[in-house]
Amino acid sequence: MRTALVYHEEMTAARLLWEDPECEIERPERLTAALERLQQGGLEQRCLQLAAREVSEAELGLVHSPEYVSLLRGTQALGTEELRALSGQYDAVYFHPSTFHCARLAAGAALQLVDAVLTGAAHNGLALVRPPGHHSQRAAASGFCVFNNVALAAKHAQQRHGLHRILIVDWDVHHGQGTQYIFEDDPSVLYFSWHRYEHGRFWPYLRESDADAIGRGQGRGFTVNLPWNQVGMGNADYMAAFLHVLLPVAFEFDPELVLISAGFDSAIGDPEGQMQATPECFAHLTQLLQVLAGGRVCAVLEGGYHLESLSQSVCMVVKALLGDPAPPLSGPMVPQHSALESIQSARAAQAPHWTSLRQQEERPSPVSPGGPKFEAAEAQTSAVLSSLLDQLHLHPTPPVRTAVALTALDAALVLPPEVLLQEGSAPQEETQAWARLYKALAQDTAFIALGKVLHLLNGILDGQVSSGIATTPAIAVTLEVAISHGLSHRAQRVLCVAVGQLDRPPDLTSDGRTLWLSIRGKEAAALSTFHVSVPLPGTTGGFLSCILALVLPLAYGFQPDLVLVVLGPAHGLQDPQAALLAALLRGPAGGRVLVLVEQESPSQLVGVVGRVLHGEAPPILGPFSMASPEDLQALIHLRGQLEAQWKMLQVAAPS
Ligand code: Q9C
Ligand code: ZN
């Protein structure tokens, strides 16, 4: 994965020259701290490093008025008092003699990143910039923002690269009202923003930040607002927002490029946001977006004012962009009541415009008084941050990211050079012990395959290998052995996603250590909390709903430490579907995924799954086609059966 990192030291020049408590948090150290952490983590060195260029005045004209650009040009020659007076004409803005230069570098960096990704010089990337951009409007600075870097990047991608559909994901904790205004009547740019809102009592105090602001004219349905009405939103809330609001719409929109307004004031510790999401959550959010647009993801820094939290979160995003597995999410995966209310109202507001959101039985929206106000204690925050550092230390990234264990090598198999073609097998005695229990495994090729599967699994369980794919002629029993072996060797919880004609092993424990999810069951049925079956949907829309509304909520809710994906007889998945499933299931268990496929599987399938396990983007699914009524009925039925136990399935607050 080539990841571009665009930066220029001169963007640290602008700083506040007078006393102003509101603006003092936007400091040069934001960039230097993040960059230093990237260097310490060895991440900067793994990136294609690009020095930011200044945006041209013609390029600024894609978004901003000539008068506004002239005004900004003029600030270079002003003295402190004049700068201060001019700053006072805007909301939460300060100017410095270097502001014009910095802001042109920030916008230029965003354009350069888009150029790198759209010319193929990089797969994805991050622009580390200041000043930020998403509050900036055609002719106004706002909220520390001077030029709208991400809006300029989107217009540039359309004008210079001929793109037709661009998704902007604004995960900064503030509403990017500037970006919303610029694209509100434009159906070619889908703008998603979540933000601290508190029923309009948080900056920028706008009515149009609410969920019912959905765009105007041709652009109706292409603005998606998810207002948070309480502080303290955490990992479960953010993941639920992506799974149940953003991603269904995003897949249906089918973007050619994803731009992230990557503000980290939505992370734990930030004084502005007062939210609780931990840094690794941003790796998961990034991974979820990487399955869109063939992985063409450009992140551009916006806010983020707690230097430690900001730096860790930036590292997490870069790691995800580089294809490293994301560390497992900590904390209970239970969305808060208030978050579910927000998710419900955003879905309701968007449902007329997106078929992918019309999958819930109509329910009256409950009006509830909202819980106690959340108080983020500083001590609690630093405890969480330091325990996080410990965790990172205890779970180092395995030396091998992906291994492939094949019974027979096929010349047509295409894999990246770093993928390990595993030669070795588990010790004879270990393999024999299992073969004595299952006579189907005593036969030659099955026995050899088992030895290789066990070796690969041991590598994953020991932390030597992150993920792998293996072929076997005896898939059902091999799976049974893999589950038992996993559970008796360090794995606390194993998620098993079985596609095709595979029965749940009869002697599988029902103690909650295994979650069995069968796709291609005869009917939709939850036989227990840990035994779920759903038919394989027949359309792209149905397949996506199945993954986003069922598989991932269960997987993230279960918090497994090992995921087994099994493509059994008559699994019926097309290669892009199998790839998408494998790519998304890297998330829940910190990248610890073992995929088992039948020995006769085409090398194309093995190749594409191997590549996504390694961190490459899955191929696009093809045109979106609506889920069938039966597929939707199956999902609604299962949600009804399971949402009391698996809270990540909820798409609305319980009434
Ligand atoms: N206590 C960005 O994050 N001040 N801008 C709000 C509320 C303005 C934030 C005051 C915050 C601007 C890019
Ligand atoms: Zn912000």
Side-chain angles (χ1 to χ4, degrees), residues 134-135 143 172-175 203 263-266 272 302-305:
H134 70 152
H135 299 304
D172 186 280
V173 86
H174 300 96
H175 182 216
W203 191 90
F264 298 99
D265 41 16
S266 46
E272 276 286 306
E302 300 279 2
Y305 307 102

Side-chain angles (χ1 to χ4, degrees), residues 152-459:
L152 285 161
K155 293 272 193 191
H156 177 78
Q158 294 187 318
Q159 221 202 28
R160 283 294 286 272
H161 299 276
L163 297 201
H164 302 295
R165 288 180 314 282
I166 297 172
L167 170 65
I168 298 177
V169 177
D170 189 336
W171 72 40
D172 186 280
V173 86
H174 300 96
H175 182 216
Q177 87 281 30
T179 311
Q180 175 168 313
Y181 298 153
I182 291 162
F183 297 112
E184 62 189 349
D185 60 359
D186 183 349
S188 70
V189 176
L190 173 56
Y191 177 64
F192 169 90
S193 174
W194 66 31
H195 34 269
R196 180 172 171 188
Y197 186 60
E198 296 176 295
H199 302 284
R201 288 186 290 273
F202 189 70
W203 191 90
Y205 313 106
L206 298 170
R207 177 66 189 80
E208 61 267 33
S209 306
D210 210 346
D212 60 357
I214 60 167
R216 297 172 191 276
Q218 294 288 100
R220 280 176 72 80
F222 296 90
T223 294
V224 180
N225 280 327
L226 181 55
W228 299 123
N229 287 316
Q230 285 184 13
V231 295
M233 295 303 159
N235 296 344
D237 306 300
Y238 284 5
M239 292 303 289
F242 266 45
L243 296 179
H244 298 312
V245 182
L246 172 60
L247 290 174
V249 170
F251 271 106
E252 192 171 343
F253 179 65
D254 187 23
E256 299 158 306
L257 174 69
V258 179
L259 300 175
I260 306 176
S261 261
F264 298 99
D265 41 16
S266 46
I268 186 165
D270 192 278
E272 276 286 306
Q274 302 283 312
M275 297 299 179
Q276 288 279 291
T278 55
E280 74 271 24
C281 189
F282 293 90
H284 289 266
L285 300 179
T286 305
Q287 277 192 347
L288 289 174
L289 297 178
Q290 285 177 287
V291 300
L292 296 162
R296 284 185 288 274
V297 173
C298 297
V300 181
L301 182 66
E302 300 279 2
Y305 307 102
H306 185 294
L307 296 185
E308 176 65 16
S309 176
L310 165 70
S311 308
Q312 286 196 27
S313 300
V314 165
C315 286
M316 285 295 166
V317 169
V318 171
K319 275 174 74 67
L321 291 174
L322 285 164
D324 288 0
L329 286 175
S330 51
M333 290 304 281
V334 178
Q336 300 178 28
H337 191 274
S338 171
L340 291 169
E341 288 180 334
S342 299
I343 286 169
Q344 180 178 18
S345 60
R347 284 173 60 102
Q350 299 293 335
H353 302 277
W354 302 100
T355 56
S356 55
L357 292 180
R358 280 177 238 141
Q359 48 163 263
Q360 92 207 79
E361 287 148 318
E362 295 306 321
R363 273 212 259 173
S365 77
V367 192
S368 83
K373 220 180 142 75
F374 177 86
E375 227 80 61
E378 187 58 35
Q380 189 190 348
T381 296
S382 36
V384 173
L385 282 173
S386 58
S387 82
L388 228 140
L389 281 174
D390 294 350
Q391 242 185 331
L392 288 178
H393 184 71
L394 290 172
H395 297 285
T397 311
V400 175
R401 203 194 275 168
T402 310
V404 176
L406 304 172
T407 37
L409 196 56
D410 186 332
L413 181 63
V414 185
L415 287 167
E418 311 84 48
V419 170
L420 177 75
L421 264 176
Q422 181 194 280
E423 300 288 347
S425 296
Q428 276 273 348
E429 315 81 72
E430 197 176 352
T431 314
Q432 253 152 12
W434 288 111
R436 272 194 290 276
L437 288 171
Y438 300 93
K439 56 179 181 297
L441 293 171
Q443 173 255 343
D444 256 10
T445 53
F447 186 84
I448 294 168
L450 178 66
K452 292 190 158 206
V453 168
L454 288 173
H455 187 56
L456 176 50
L457 187 54
N458 286 333

